[in-house]
Amino acid sequence: MISLEDQIRDALRSEAGRLREVSPLRLLPAPGRLGPVTAPRRARRPWTWLAPVTAAVLVIALAIALVIVRTERNGPVVPARPQSPAPATFPRYYVALEHLNNDGNAARLMAGDSVTGKTLAAFNAPAGASFEGTTPAGAADDRTFVVAATLSQRKPPYPPWATDGPRAWYLLRLAPGSARPVSMTKLAIQSSAADLPVTQTALSADGRYLAVASGDAGTLREDLRVYSVATGQLVHAWTMVNAGAFSYKTLSHLSWVNGDEAVAFNLMWGLSSHQEVRKVAVSAGGTDLLAASRVVWSQSVPAPPHGVITASTPQLCGLATLTADGQAIVCWKSVVSAGNAVPPMVWVAYPLSSPAQPRVIARIPPPLTKLTSVTGASGTPAVYVSAHEVIGFSFVVSRGDTGPLTIHKFIASGGAIRQLGTGTIASMNAVW
Amino acid sequence: VDDTDTQSADTAADGVQRQVTALYQAHALSLARLALLMLGDRAEAQDVVQDAFLGLYRRWGALASADAAPGYLRASVLNGCRTALKRRSRPAVYAGSQEHLESAEALAIHTEEQRAVLAAVRRLPARQREALVLRYYLDMTEDQAAQTMRVSRGAVKSATSRAVAAVGRMLKEGS
């Protein structure tokens, strides 16, 4: 049953969304160009100013007294504390793209229940548009998603420097069992054709903020923006300009840390020999992403001799993500050994307090070796990172690239892994 | 005043105008939506937003920094809404307003449930409505709403809780 608060929230957003444009700004001529527009002053009688000034002083004194009394009674105002992340559970509900085209975009979006296998709802993309991907709220929330849809089709040959905007953003809320199990609301985030292609998005745990990473190898630029989900306002924008193709750094794997205090991201160098996880506080000023953020973890590996990867070859971590409590990096590595056609993977946690002592927190049991990563221009990997190094994630084994998929669900915590069950999803190319 | 001074004043005024216009492009729609939720009248909401930007333009020099402008604008819009609500003579502010004449659009956009909730929200006292809008539309915390409304956190909590209860009551009566 949807709560009354959610009904109010939904109704207010729907009503606000009815206003789609405002009239142009009407500014008067600049004050520096014109003389004062106030009426000419009348001659004042002496001491007439005393009465209002006395009244004002009395009012101010009374107000100060009231404030003191109120403060004493209610205590000082305590600054807002970040919400503690929700305990990790396997995300039961998912949103998936269907019928992907060559761009990796989809004409249809469906919301489903991985336990019952039922479809909660399906949405067709508006005419001329296609869905690019979805991102769930952090901390294992499987009820709140942001969906991106591109409003224009890129035409072949897809030059890497092409922009792919404009796009529209939607808030998708699932409330299974209620009268309205699914609601999709268009967000007021402004987008333009000049926006860079979106590479990653992350919704904060409380669903208030959306972090969007975008980048383009042609312009050598990577952007990180934070939008208010409620108002669509751009709260922050940082940019990183790469010096050249060989030192190109790719921004990826966004995650929210400590509620909605900071955004963490992975930087992978173009030659794949170095990676960093950085954190930028939402309150950080400036527009330079590298200057505003700080490194919380990094790793460098030498290139293998003659490019041959063996079991002993050091590897960078895949999907390196800072946990929601900011205490560890969680990522995966392939375990290469002789005779393994497909190397099995392990999930590793690097505690930031002692990064030299990583811990294997989960091994993907063979033959479940294929982890579906997100298909499409935006989204997050099929990994839900929560506090205290507890992760829930899904392995997807497919027979071919299309057709029914089997999800094997696991939850891992503190070195143990527990299989929760399996589910089947039909005709799906991406899962969250 | 020599020509150089006049030119630099003109340049500064142009700069302010450009910055205020950029802020308008970035924030006017979201502020107008906020005002619409408070006032229920589209034209009046846009007027309040225009006034807020005009105020910002006139007082640009008094701002501590350009970063403070969005906060100033939101406070200014909420103040404008409070003033507009006080100006209204009848307590049933939405009865017979232009928004009801536009109900065909609302009918097409809102579900029956949303329309019932909105009708109930519109009947709330201004302060309770403001608390609801700040908490459930802007997703402010109780502390943030308290700072914006310039009341205590307890007052926000109480106004929100009363407003939700009143909306629930009205929905029950209507069903």
Side-chain angles (χ1 to χ4, degrees):
Chain A
M1 182 77 184
I2 188 168
S3 69
L4 183 54
E5 286 85 352
D6 278 345
Q7 283 183 53
I8 293 170
R9 191 175 279 121
D10 180 49
L12 290 175
R13 286 180 181 161
S14 175
E15 171 71 348
R18 208 151 61 84
L19 193 60
R20 297 207 176 93
E21 58 184 7
V22 287
S23 50
L25 180 61
R26 302 183 300 268
L27 286 180
L28 294 177
R33 291 178 182 171
L34 285 183
V37 292
T38 51
R41 289 182 180 181
R42 287 176 293 180
R44 283 185 174 177
R45 283 173 292 180
W47 304 108
T48 50
W49 54 272
L50 196 57
V53 166
T54 309
V57 167
L58 284 173
V59 168
I60 289 168
L62 184 62
I64 289 170
L66 284 173
V67 166
I68 290 169
V69 168
R70 172 172 285 172
T71 308
E72 287 296 317
R73 193 175 295 159
N74 295 323
V77 174
V78 181
R81 294 181 61 186
Q83 292 179 354
S84 50
T89 53
F90 184 81
R92 172 174 175 174
Y93 302 104
Y94 62 89
V95 174
L97 304 181
E98 292 188 313
H99 312 307
L100 296 188
N101 60 26
N102 290 337
D103 270 350
N105 296 335
R108 215 163 93 109
L109 182 88
M110 59 91 76
D113 182 334
S114 63
V115 171
T116 63
K118 286 183 178 170
T119 297
L120 297 176
F123 301 89
N124 287 324
S130 54
F131 293 119
E132 292 179 293
T134 71
T135 183
D141 178 0
D142 58 355
R143 310 290 176 100
T144 314
F145 300 82
V146 163
V147 179
T150 179
L151 302 177
S152 60
Q153 302 291 331
R154 291 172 77 179
K155 300 281 184 269
Y158 313 120
W161 54 88
T163 58
D164 67 350
R167 65 173 46 78
W169 301 89
Y170 299 88
L171 182 68
L172 181 63
R173 285 179 186 274
L174 305 181
S178 72
R180 296 184 70 221
V182 178
S183 66
M184 190 141 94
T185 316
K186 190 173 180 187
L187 301 180
I189 294 173
Q190 302 289 318
S191 169
S192 82
D195 288 347
L196 297 176
V198 171
T199 51
Q200 278 278 312
T201 58
L203 191 56
S204 63
D206 54 11
R208 290 175 63 200
Y209 294 111
L210 179 70
V212 177
S214 50
D216 186 54
T219 59
L220 298 176
R221 210 180 92 200
E222 300 269 327
D223 288 345
L224 175 61
R225 294 178 175 189
V226 173
Y227 295 95
S228 160
V229 170
T231 64
Q233 229 176 60
L234 178 64
V235 181
H236 279 287
W238 297 279
T239 295
M240 176 178 69
V241 180
N242 282 289
F246 289 104
S247 60
Y248 196 80
K249 296 179 282 293
T250 311
L251 195 161
S252 63
H253 304 117
L254 303 180
S255 65
W256 283 89
V257 186
N258 297 333
D260 53 20
E261 273 185 15
V263 182
F265 54 92
N266 180 62
L267 275 188
M268 192 75 88
W269 260 244
L271 295 177
S272 295
S273 58
H274 181 75
Q275 73 181 129
E276 287 175 358
V277 173
R278 285 173 167 258
K279 189 168 82 168
V280 57
V282 173
S283 57
T287 56
D288 183 337
L289 182 61
L290 292 181
S293 61
R294 67 181 180 84
V295 177
V296 294
W297 179 84
S298 67
Q299 204 172 47
S300 295
V301 294
H306 314 297
V308 178
I309 298 174
T310 66
S312 59
T313 303
Q315 306 160 57
L316 292 178
C317 250
L319 308 179
T321 311
L322 184 59
T323 53
D325 60 358
Q327 299 298 310
I329 303 295
V330 174
C331 58
W332 67 263
K333 287 189 166 190
S334 293
V335 183
V336 181
S337 61
N340 274 333
V342 183
M345 292 193 301
V346 292
W347 284 92
V348 183
Y350 289 85
L352 293 188
S353 53
S354 53
Q357 297 176 328
R359 229 179 38 245
V360 173
I361 55 172
R363 292 177 193 279
I364 299 180
L368 307 181
T369 53
K370 182 171 180 180
L371 174 74
T372 293
S373 60
V374 169
T375 311
S378 69
T380 55
V383 177
Y384 291 78
V385 182
S386 186
H388 314 303
E389 301 174 27
V390 179
I391 60 172
F393 50 90
S394 62
F395 305 113
V396 179
V397 179
S398 64
R399 293 177 183 85
D401 288 333
T402 57
L405 302 174
T406 303
I407 309 176
H408 294 259
K409 298 172 291 182
F410 296 87
I411 188 159
S413 174
I417 181 166
R418 189 159 62 89
Q419 184 156 4
L420 298 180
T422 58
T424 303
I425 299 171
S427 304
M428 194 192 66
N429 295 71
V431 60
W432 284 266
Chain B
V1 179
D2 65 21
D3 283 350
T4 317
D5 285 345
T6 309
Q7 280 168 10
S8 61
D10 282 355
T11 310
D14 282 344
V16 172
Q17 193 158 338
R18 267 199 304 276
Q19 293 192 69
V20 174
T21 304
L23 282 165
Y24 189 82
Q25 284 164 353
H27 301 290
L29 182 59
S30 58
L31 290 169
R33 286 172 167 169
L34 173 65
L36 172 66
L37 292 177
M38 288 295 298
L39 299 171
D41 186 289
R42 214 181 272 217
E44 202 173 8
Q46 298 215 24
D47 283 347
V48 165
V49 172
Q50 286 277 350
D51 287 348
F53 277 90
L54 194 54
L56 175 71
Y57 178 59
R58 286 175 171 158
R59 295 175 189 83
W60 185 262
L63 273 187
S65 76
D67 292 343
Y72 169 88
L73 284 167
R74 189 167 63 195
S76 183
V77 165
L78 286 171
N79 273 338
C81 291
R82 290 179 202 127
T83 308
L85 288 171
K86 277 182 198 160
R87 268 202 306 262
R88 291 177 178 174
S89 53
R90 290 172 297 168
V93 291
Y94 290 87
S97 74
Q98 192 192 353
E99 292 303 297
H100 280 250
L101 299 178
E102 294 171 355
S103 59
E105 183 204 356
L107 274 173
I109 290 176
H110 301 318
T111 62
E112 194 178 334
E113 179 189 280
Q114 287 170 337
R115 284 198 298 275
V117 172
L118 287 171
V121 170
R122 285 166 183 163
R123 286 169 60 193
L124 293 173
R127 188 176 156 111
Q128 289 184 15
R129 194 183 322 143
E130 184 172 347
L132 274 195
V133 169
L134 296 183
R135 294 278 288 124
Y136 296 135
Y137 174 62
L138 292 185
D139 282 339
M140 285 186 173
T141 62
E142 283 174 353
D143 288 326
Q144 289 167 334
Q147 281 176 4
T148 305
M149 292 174 73
R150 295 177 197 157
V151 296
S152 70
R153 183 183 172 186
V156 170
K157 198 171 182 172
S158 153
T160 311
S161 146
R162 284 180 188 175
V164 171
V167 169
R169 220 166 29 245
M170 285 186 261
L171 290 179
K172 216 170 185 177
E173 286 165 5
S175 62

